[in-house]
Short mmCIF file of all heavy atoms in Angstrom, two decimals:
data_model
loop_
_atom_site.label_atom_id
_atom_site.label_comp_id
_atom_site.label_asym_id
_atom_site.label_seq_id
_atom_site.Cartn_x
_atom_site.Cartn_y
_atom_site.Cartn_z
N PHE A 354 -5.78 31.64 -3.89
CA PHE A 354 -4.92 32.70 -4.29
C PHE A 354 -4.78 32.81 -5.81
O PHE A 354 -4.44 33.84 -6.36
CB PHE A 354 -3.51 32.56 -3.70
CG PHE A 354 -3.47 32.56 -2.22
CD1 PHE A 354 -2.68 31.71 -1.51
CD2 PHE A 354 -4.28 33.50 -1.46
CE1 PHE A 354 -2.62 31.74 -0.08
CE2 PHE A 354 -4.21 33.50 -0.08
CZ PHE A 354 -3.39 32.62 0.60
N THR A 355 -5.08 31.71 -6.50
CA THR A 355 -4.91 31.66 -7.94
C THR A 355 -6.18 31.13 -8.59
O THR A 355 -7.07 30.51 -7.89
CB THR A 355 -3.75 30.76 -8.35
OG1 THR A 355 -4.08 29.40 -8.02
CG2 THR A 355 -2.45 31.14 -7.61
N PRO A 356 -6.36 31.31 -9.87
CA PRO A 356 -7.53 30.71 -10.59
C PRO A 356 -7.59 29.23 -10.36
O PRO A 356 -8.72 28.65 -10.26
CB PRO A 356 -7.29 31.10 -12.03
CG PRO A 356 -6.52 32.37 -11.99
CD PRO A 356 -5.60 32.24 -10.78
N GLU A 357 -6.49 28.54 -10.39
CA GLU A 357 -6.45 27.11 -10.20
C GLU A 357 -6.90 26.74 -8.81
O GLU A 357 -7.64 25.78 -8.60
CB GLU A 357 -5.00 26.56 -10.45
CG GLU A 357 -4.90 25.00 -10.40
CD GLU A 357 -5.68 24.41 -11.53
OE1 GLU A 357 -5.88 25.03 -12.58
OE2 GLU A 357 -6.12 23.22 -11.34
N ASP A 358 -6.53 27.56 -7.79
CA ASP A 358 -6.99 27.35 -6.44
C ASP A 358 -8.47 27.52 -6.35
O ASP A 358 -9.19 26.74 -5.64
CB ASP A 358 -6.33 28.36 -5.48
CG ASP A 358 -4.84 28.14 -5.23
OD1 ASP A 358 -4.36 27.01 -5.53
OD2 ASP A 358 -4.14 29.05 -4.83
N ALA A 359 -9.04 28.51 -7.05
CA ALA A 359 -10.44 28.73 -7.05
C ALA A 359 -11.26 27.56 -7.62
O ALA A 359 -12.30 27.15 -7.09
CB ALA A 359 -10.78 30.07 -7.83
N LYS A 360 -10.68 26.97 -8.68
CA LYS A 360 -11.32 25.79 -9.30
C LYS A 360 -11.27 24.62 -8.32
O LYS A 360 -12.29 23.87 -8.16
CB LYS A 360 -10.58 25.40 -10.57
CG LYS A 360 -10.86 26.39 -11.73
CD LYS A 360 -10.00 26.03 -12.94
CE LYS A 360 -10.29 24.63 -13.46
NZ LYS A 360 -9.49 24.30 -14.67
N ALA A 361 -10.16 24.45 -7.62
CA ALA A 361 -10.09 23.37 -6.65
C ALA A 361 -11.02 23.55 -5.51
O ALA A 361 -11.63 22.60 -5.05
CB ALA A 361 -8.59 23.27 -6.14
N LEU A 362 -11.23 24.83 -5.12
CA LEU A 362 -12.17 25.09 -4.05
C LEU A 362 -13.60 24.71 -4.39
O LEU A 362 -14.31 24.09 -3.65
CB LEU A 362 -12.06 26.60 -3.64
CG LEU A 362 -13.08 27.11 -2.67
CD1 LEU A 362 -12.91 26.39 -1.28
CD2 LEU A 362 -12.94 28.61 -2.48
N LYS A 363 -14.03 25.14 -5.64
CA LYS A 363 -15.36 24.87 -6.11
C LYS A 363 -15.53 23.31 -6.21
O LYS A 363 -16.61 22.76 -5.88
CB LYS A 363 -15.66 25.53 -7.42
CG LYS A 363 -15.80 27.05 -7.32
CD LYS A 363 -16.13 27.61 -8.72
CE LYS A 363 -16.31 29.12 -8.63
NZ LYS A 363 -17.47 29.46 -7.72
N ALA A 364 -14.52 22.61 -6.70
CA ALA A 364 -14.57 21.15 -6.81
C ALA A 364 -14.73 20.46 -5.51
O ALA A 364 -15.52 19.53 -5.32
CB ALA A 364 -13.38 20.64 -7.58
N THR A 365 -14.01 21.01 -4.50
CA THR A 365 -14.11 20.46 -3.13
C THR A 365 -15.50 20.66 -2.54
O THR A 365 -16.08 19.70 -1.97
CB THR A 365 -13.06 21.10 -2.25
OG1 THR A 365 -11.76 20.84 -2.78
CG2 THR A 365 -13.14 20.53 -0.81
N VAL A 366 -16.05 21.83 -2.70
CA VAL A 366 -17.40 22.17 -2.18
C VAL A 366 -18.42 21.21 -2.78
O VAL A 366 -19.34 20.73 -2.10
CB VAL A 366 -17.73 23.62 -2.42
CG1 VAL A 366 -19.20 23.88 -2.10
CG2 VAL A 366 -16.85 24.56 -1.56
N SER A 367 -18.26 20.90 -4.01
CA SER A 367 -19.25 20.06 -4.70
C SER A 367 -19.27 18.65 -4.20
O SER A 367 -20.26 17.88 -4.49
CB SER A 367 -18.96 20.09 -6.26
OG SER A 367 -17.79 19.36 -6.56
N THR A 368 -18.25 18.24 -3.51
CA THR A 368 -18.22 16.87 -3.03
C THR A 368 -18.87 16.69 -1.66
O THR A 368 -19.01 15.59 -1.16
CB THR A 368 -16.72 16.38 -2.92
OG1 THR A 368 -16.03 17.14 -1.97
CG2 THR A 368 -16.04 16.46 -4.27
N PHE A 369 -19.30 17.79 -1.02
CA PHE A 369 -19.96 17.68 0.29
C PHE A 369 -21.48 17.66 0.16
O PHE A 369 -22.01 18.21 -0.78
CB PHE A 369 -19.53 18.96 1.15
CG PHE A 369 -18.18 18.79 1.83
CD1 PHE A 369 -17.06 19.23 1.19
CD2 PHE A 369 -18.10 18.21 3.08
CE1 PHE A 369 -15.80 19.10 1.81
CE2 PHE A 369 -16.88 18.12 3.71
CZ PHE A 369 -15.72 18.53 3.07
N PRO A 370 -22.16 17.03 1.12
CA PRO A 370 -23.59 17.10 1.14
C PRO A 370 -24.07 18.56 1.36
O PRO A 370 -23.33 19.45 1.81
CB PRO A 370 -23.97 16.26 2.32
CG PRO A 370 -22.76 15.46 2.68
CD PRO A 370 -21.58 16.22 2.25
N VAL A 371 -25.31 18.79 0.99
CA VAL A 371 -25.93 20.15 1.23
C VAL A 371 -25.91 20.39 2.72
O VAL A 371 -26.16 19.51 3.53
CB VAL A 371 -27.42 20.12 0.70
CG1 VAL A 371 -28.05 21.45 1.05
CG2 VAL A 371 -27.41 19.92 -0.84
N SER A 372 -25.56 21.64 3.06
CA SER A 372 -25.39 21.94 4.54
C SER A 372 -25.86 23.34 4.88
O SER A 372 -26.27 24.13 3.98
CB SER A 372 -23.90 21.79 4.87
OG SER A 372 -23.17 22.94 4.43
N ASP A 373 -25.76 23.67 6.15
CA ASP A 373 -26.16 25.02 6.60
C ASP A 373 -25.05 26.00 6.48
O ASP A 373 -25.16 27.13 6.89
CB ASP A 373 -26.59 24.90 8.09
CG ASP A 373 -27.89 24.07 8.25
OD1 ASP A 373 -28.76 24.15 7.41
OD2 ASP A 373 -28.04 23.37 9.31
N TYR A 374 -23.90 25.61 6.00
CA TYR A 374 -22.73 26.48 5.86
C TYR A 374 -22.57 26.97 4.39
O TYR A 374 -22.95 26.27 3.46
CB TYR A 374 -21.43 25.72 6.19
CG TYR A 374 -21.37 25.29 7.69
CD1 TYR A 374 -21.87 24.10 8.10
CD2 TYR A 374 -20.70 26.12 8.59
CE1 TYR A 374 -21.74 23.68 9.43
CE2 TYR A 374 -20.61 25.71 9.94
CZ TYR A 374 -21.15 24.49 10.33
OH TYR A 374 -21.03 24.13 11.67
N ASP A 375 -22.07 28.12 4.28
CA ASP A 375 -21.53 28.63 3.00
C ASP A 375 -20.10 28.06 2.92
O ASP A 375 -19.10 28.61 3.43
CB ASP A 375 -21.50 30.17 2.95
CG ASP A 375 -20.99 30.71 1.65
OD1 ASP A 375 -20.24 29.92 0.91
OD2 ASP A 375 -21.17 31.89 1.34
N LEU A 376 -19.98 26.88 2.23
CA LEU A 376 -18.75 26.18 2.33
C LEU A 376 -17.56 26.86 1.66
O LEU A 376 -16.42 26.72 2.08
CB LEU A 376 -18.89 24.75 1.76
CG LEU A 376 -19.66 23.80 2.70
CD1 LEU A 376 -19.75 22.42 2.02
CD2 LEU A 376 -19.00 23.66 4.02
N GLU A 377 -17.83 27.65 0.60
CA GLU A 377 -16.72 28.37 -0.05
C GLU A 377 -16.12 29.37 0.93
O GLU A 377 -14.90 29.48 1.06
CB GLU A 377 -17.22 29.07 -1.32
CG GLU A 377 -17.45 28.12 -2.49
CD GLU A 377 -17.48 28.86 -3.82
OE1 GLU A 377 -16.88 29.92 -3.93
OE2 GLU A 377 -18.23 28.38 -4.73
N GLU A 378 -16.97 30.04 1.65
CA GLU A 378 -16.46 31.03 2.64
C GLU A 378 -15.87 30.29 3.86
O GLU A 378 -14.75 30.70 4.30
CB GLU A 378 -17.63 31.92 3.10
CG GLU A 378 -17.22 32.95 4.18
CD GLU A 378 -18.33 33.78 4.68
OE1 GLU A 378 -19.42 33.73 4.04
OE2 GLU A 378 -18.15 34.48 5.65
N THR A 379 -16.51 29.23 4.28
CA THR A 379 -15.99 28.56 5.48
C THR A 379 -14.63 27.92 5.24
O THR A 379 -13.77 28.00 6.09
CB THR A 379 -17.00 27.40 5.85
OG1 THR A 379 -18.28 28.03 6.12
CG2 THR A 379 -16.58 26.69 7.11
N LEU A 380 -14.46 27.31 4.10
CA LEU A 380 -13.20 26.62 3.80
C LEU A 380 -12.03 27.58 3.61
O LEU A 380 -10.86 27.21 3.78
CB LEU A 380 -13.35 25.71 2.55
CG LEU A 380 -14.15 24.42 2.81
CD1 LEU A 380 -14.33 23.71 1.48
CD2 LEU A 380 -13.47 23.55 3.83
N THR A 381 -12.29 28.76 3.22
CA THR A 381 -11.20 29.75 3.01
C THR A 381 -10.94 30.55 4.28
O THR A 381 -9.92 31.24 4.38
CB THR A 381 -11.51 30.74 1.88
OG1 THR A 381 -12.82 31.31 2.06
CG2 THR A 381 -11.45 29.97 0.53
N SER A 382 -11.81 30.52 5.26
CA SER A 382 -11.59 31.26 6.48
C SER A 382 -11.37 30.47 7.74
O SER A 382 -11.11 30.98 8.79
CB SER A 382 -12.90 32.12 6.74
OG SER A 382 -14.07 31.34 6.91
#
Side-chain angles (χ1 to χ4, degrees):
F354 299 139
T355 68
E357 187 63 28
D358 290 341
K360 288 174 60 178
L362 175 62
K363 289 183 179 296
T365 299
V366 169
S367 69
T368 63
F369 278 89
V371 175
S372 74
D373 294 325
Y374 293 89
D375 180 341
L376 286 180
E377 286 196 29
E378 179 182 348
T379 301
L380 287 174
T381 53
S382 61

